[in-house]
PDB file of all heavy atoms in Angstrom:
ATOM      1  N   MET A 405       0.855  -1.213  -0.001  1.00 97.00           N
ATOM      2  CA  MET A 405      -0.002  -0.026  -0.003  1.00 97.00           C
ATOM      3  C   MET A 405       0.876   1.240  -0.009  1.00 97.00           C
ATOM      4  O   MET A 405       1.723   1.406   0.888  1.00 97.00           O
ATOM      5  CB  MET A 405      -0.880  -0.034   1.234  1.00 97.00           C
ATOM      6  CG  MET A 405      -2.043   0.908   1.259  1.00 97.00           C
ATOM      7  SD  MET A 405      -3.272   0.338   2.479  1.00 97.00           S
ATOM      8  CE  MET A 405      -4.460   1.649   2.484  1.00 97.00           C
ATOM      9  N   GLU A 409      -2.028  10.965   0.364  1.00 98.00           N
ATOM     10  CA  GLU A 409      -2.844  11.976   0.990  1.00 98.00           C
ATOM     11  C   GLU A 409      -4.161  11.994   0.275  1.00 98.00           C
ATOM     12  O   GLU A 409      -4.246  11.788  -0.956  1.00 98.00           O
ATOM     13  CB  GLU A 409      -2.174  13.334   0.866  1.00 98.00           C
ATOM     14  CG  GLU A 409      -1.008  13.480   1.826  1.00 98.00           C
ATOM     15  CD  GLU A 409      -0.570  14.930   2.014  1.00 98.00           C
ATOM     16  OE1 GLU A 409      -1.383  15.859   1.920  1.00 98.00           O
ATOM     17  OE2 GLU A 409       0.637  15.118   2.286  1.00 98.00           O
ATOM     18  N   PHE A 410      -5.206  12.203   0.976  1.00 97.00           N
ATOM     19  CA  PHE A 410      -6.557  12.283   0.368  1.00 97.00           C
ATOM     20  C   PHE A 410      -7.421  13.266   1.095  1.00 97.00           C
ATOM     21  O   PHE A 410      -7.487  13.245   2.318  1.00 97.00           O
ATOM     22  CB  PHE A 410      -7.211  10.871   0.409  1.00 97.00           C
ATOM     23  CG  PHE A 410      -8.602  10.894  -0.192  1.00 97.00           C
ATOM     24  CD1 PHE A 410      -8.806  11.005  -1.555  1.00 97.00           C
ATOM     25  CD2 PHE A 410      -9.701  10.816   0.644  1.00 97.00           C
ATOM     26  CE1 PHE A 410     -10.084  11.022  -2.085  1.00 97.00           C
ATOM     27  CE2 PHE A 410     -11.027  10.879   0.135  1.00 97.00           C
ATOM     28  CZ  PHE A 410     -11.188  10.945  -1.238  1.00 97.00           C
ATOM     29  N   PHE A 416     -22.202  17.268   0.033  1.00 98.00           N
ATOM     30  CA  PHE A 416     -23.168  16.726  -0.939  1.00 98.00           C
ATOM     31  C   PHE A 416     -24.591  16.926  -0.391  1.00 98.00           C
ATOM     32  O   PHE A 416     -24.890  16.646   0.769  1.00 98.00           O
ATOM     33  CB  PHE A 416     -22.933  15.226  -1.144  1.00 98.00           C
ATOM     34  CG  PHE A 416     -21.545  14.936  -1.722  1.00 98.00           C
ATOM     35  CD1 PHE A 416     -20.554  14.505  -0.864  1.00 98.00           C
ATOM     36  CD2 PHE A 416     -21.298  15.113  -3.077  1.00 98.00           C
ATOM     37  CE1 PHE A 416     -19.279  14.232  -1.406  1.00 98.00           C
ATOM     38  CE2 PHE A 416     -20.031  14.867  -3.567  1.00 98.00           C
ATOM     39  CZ  PHE A 416     -19.018  14.391  -2.703  1.00 98.00           C
ATOM     40  N   LYS A 429     -28.131  27.411   0.650  1.00 98.00           N
ATOM     41  CA  LYS A 429     -26.889  26.777   1.044  1.00 98.00           C
ATOM     42  C   LYS A 429     -25.658  27.607   0.657  1.00 98.00           C
ATOM     43  O   LYS A 429     -24.672  27.631   1.371  1.00 98.00           O
ATOM     44  CB  LYS A 429     -26.756  25.402   0.389  1.00 98.00           C
ATOM     45  CG  LYS A 429     -27.774  24.391   0.814  1.00 98.00           C
ATOM     46  CD  LYS A 429     -27.418  23.685   2.096  1.00 98.00           C
ATOM     47  CE  LYS A 429     -28.359  22.521   2.391  1.00 98.00           C
ATOM     48  NZ  LYS A 429     -28.379  22.097   3.765  1.00 98.00           N
ATOM     49  N   VAL A 617      -8.563  -3.215   0.740  1.00 98.00           N
ATOM     50  CA  VAL A 617      -9.644  -2.311   1.204  1.00 98.00           C
ATOM     51  C   VAL A 617     -10.028  -1.383   0.062  1.00 98.00           C
ATOM     52  O   VAL A 617     -11.243  -1.124  -0.089  1.00 98.00           O
ATOM     53  CB  VAL A 617      -9.126  -1.538   2.423  1.00 98.00           C
ATOM     54  CG1 VAL A 617      -7.902  -0.650   2.171  1.00 98.00           C
ATOM     55  CG2 VAL A 617     -10.249  -0.667   3.003  1.00 98.00           C
ATOM     56  N   ASN A 648     -28.739   5.426  -7.795  1.00 98.00           N
ATOM     57  CA  ASN A 648     -27.567   4.628  -7.629  1.00 98.00           C
ATOM     58  C   ASN A 648     -26.467   4.977  -8.594  1.00 98.00           C
ATOM     59  O   ASN A 648     -25.285   5.045  -8.275  1.00 98.00           O
ATOM     60  CB  ASN A 648     -27.956   3.103  -7.773  1.00 98.00           C
ATOM     61  CG  ASN A 648     -28.430   2.535  -6.428  1.00 98.00           C
ATOM     62  OD1 ASN A 648     -27.678   2.079  -5.600  1.00 98.00           O
ATOM     63  ND2 ASN A 648     -29.736   2.557  -6.236  1.00 98.00           N
TER      64      ASN A 648
ATOM     65  N   MET B 526     -34.074   5.088  -1.807  1.00 97.00           N
ATOM     66  CA  MET B 526     -32.912   5.820  -1.347  1.00 97.00           C
ATOM     67  C   MET B 526     -33.376   7.153  -0.702  1.00 97.00           C
ATOM     68  O   MET B 526     -34.041   7.950  -1.361  1.00 97.00           O
ATOM     69  CB  MET B 526     -31.987   6.157  -2.544  1.00 97.00           C
ATOM     70  CG  MET B 526     -30.611   6.509  -2.173  1.00 97.00           C
ATOM     71  SD  MET B 526     -29.547   6.256  -3.674  1.00 97.00           S
ATOM     72  CE  MET B 526     -27.962   6.922  -3.078  1.00 97.00           C
ATOM     73  N   GLU B 530     -27.638  14.485   3.230  1.00 98.00           N
ATOM     74  CA  GLU B 530     -26.457  15.359   3.102  1.00 98.00           C
ATOM     75  C   GLU B 530     -25.270  14.631   3.674  1.00 98.00           C
ATOM     76  O   GLU B 530     -25.366  13.913   4.634  1.00 98.00           O
ATOM     77  CB  GLU B 530     -26.710  16.684   3.868  1.00 98.00           C
ATOM     78  CG  GLU B 530     -27.717  17.564   3.232  1.00 98.00           C
ATOM     79  CD  GLU B 530     -27.701  19.000   3.755  1.00 98.00           C
ATOM     80  OE1 GLU B 530     -26.640  19.464   4.204  1.00 98.00           O
ATOM     81  OE2 GLU B 530     -28.710  19.638   3.714  1.00 98.00           O
ATOM     82  N   PHE B 531     -24.111  14.874   3.055  1.00 97.00           N
ATOM     83  CA  PHE B 531     -22.927  14.190   3.521  1.00 97.00           C
ATOM     84  C   PHE B 531     -21.683  15.105   3.270  1.00 97.00           C
ATOM     85  O   PHE B 531     -21.562  15.649   2.181  1.00 97.00           O
ATOM     86  CB  PHE B 531     -22.695  12.850   2.794  1.00 97.00           C
ATOM     87  CG  PHE B 531     -21.430  12.165   3.191  1.00 97.00           C
ATOM     88  CD1 PHE B 531     -21.288  11.557   4.441  1.00 97.00           C
ATOM     89  CD2 PHE B 531     -20.332  12.167   2.330  1.00 97.00           C
ATOM     90  CE1 PHE B 531     -20.137  10.952   4.829  1.00 97.00           C
ATOM     91  CE2 PHE B 531     -19.137  11.554   2.710  1.00 97.00           C
ATOM     92  CZ  PHE B 531     -19.056  10.932   3.972  1.00 97.00           C
ATOM     93  N   PHE B 537      -6.557  13.402   4.912  1.00 98.00           N
ATOM     94  CA  PHE B 537      -5.854  12.224   5.441  1.00 98.00           C
ATOM     95  C   PHE B 537      -4.422  12.202   4.961  1.00 98.00           C
ATOM     96  O   PHE B 537      -4.154  12.421   3.750  1.00 98.00           O
ATOM     97  CB  PHE B 537      -6.584  10.939   4.973  1.00 98.00           C
ATOM     98  CG  PHE B 537      -8.003  10.836   5.407  1.00 98.00           C
ATOM     99  CD1 PHE B 537      -9.048  11.195   4.565  1.00 98.00           C
ATOM    100  CD2 PHE B 537      -8.341  10.479   6.716  1.00 98.00           C
ATOM    101  CE1 PHE B 537     -10.358  11.151   4.966  1.00 98.00           C
ATOM    102  CE2 PHE B 537      -9.605  10.416   7.155  1.00 98.00           C
ATOM    103  CZ  PHE B 537     -10.667  10.749   6.254  1.00 98.00           C
ATOM    104  N   LYS B 550       2.208  20.306   8.636  1.00 98.00           N
ATOM    105  CA  LYS B 550       0.861  20.348   8.076  1.00 98.00           C
ATOM    106  C   LYS B 550      -0.096  21.258   8.923  1.00 98.00           C
ATOM    107  O   LYS B 550      -0.967  21.922   8.354  1.00 98.00           O
ATOM    108  CB  LYS B 550       0.236  18.907   7.992  1.00 98.00           C
ATOM    109  CG  LYS B 550       0.982  17.969   7.113  1.00 98.00           C
ATOM    110  CD  LYS B 550       0.519  18.133   5.667  1.00 98.00           C
ATOM    111  CE  LYS B 550       1.102  16.988   4.833  1.00 98.00           C
ATOM    112  NZ  LYS B 550       1.100  17.275   3.375  1.00 98.00           N
ATOM    113  N   VAL B 738     -25.704   0.845  -4.166  1.00 98.00           N
ATOM    114  CA  VAL B 738     -24.396   1.526  -4.237  1.00 98.00           C
ATOM    115  C   VAL B 738     -23.778   1.646  -2.850  1.00 98.00           C
ATOM    116  O   VAL B 738     -22.596   1.393  -2.634  1.00 98.00           O
ATOM    117  CB  VAL B 738     -24.483   2.884  -4.906  1.00 98.00           C
ATOM    118  CG1 VAL B 738     -25.445   3.839  -4.163  1.00 98.00           C
ATOM    119  CG2 VAL B 738     -23.150   3.543  -5.082  1.00 98.00           C
ATOM    120  N   GLU B 765       0.959  -4.445   5.621  1.00 98.00           N
ATOM    121  CA  GLU B 765      -0.205  -4.414   4.679  1.00 98.00           C
ATOM    122  C   GLU B 765      -1.498  -4.694   5.401  1.00 98.00           C
ATOM    123  O   GLU B 765      -2.492  -4.022   5.208  1.00 98.00           O
ATOM    124  CB  GLU B 765      -0.002  -5.408   3.513  1.00 98.00           C
ATOM    125  CG  GLU B 765       1.156  -5.048   2.610  1.00 98.00           C
ATOM    126  CD  GLU B 765       1.019  -3.697   1.917  1.00 98.00           C
ATOM    127  OE1 GLU B 765      -0.164  -3.367   1.498  1.00 98.00           O
ATOM    128  OE2 GLU B 765       1.998  -2.937   1.815  1.00 98.00           O
ATOM    129  N   ASN B 769      -4.570  -2.033   5.805  1.00 98.00           N
ATOM    130  CA  ASN B 769      -5.909  -2.280   5.382  1.00 98.00           C
ATOM    131  C   ASN B 769      -6.911  -2.101   6.482  1.00 98.00           C
ATOM    132  O   ASN B 769      -7.980  -1.502   6.315  1.00 98.00           O
ATOM    133  CB  ASN B 769      -6.025  -3.705   4.777  1.00 98.00           C
ATOM    134  CG  ASN B 769      -5.633  -3.745   3.321  1.00 98.00           C
ATOM    135  OD1 ASN B 769      -6.460  -3.507   2.437  1.00 98.00           O
ATOM    136  ND2 ASN B 769      -4.358  -4.048   3.020  1.00 98.00           N
TER     137      ASN B 769
END
Side-chain angles (χ1 to χ4, degrees):
Chain A
M405 194 160 174
E409 287 196 29
F410 177 73
F416 300 99
K429 296 275 190 200
V617 61
N648 275 275
Chain B
M526 196 161 174
E530 288 195 27
F531 177 73
F537 300 99
K550 297 275 190 199
V738 60
E765 294 300 319
N769 275 275

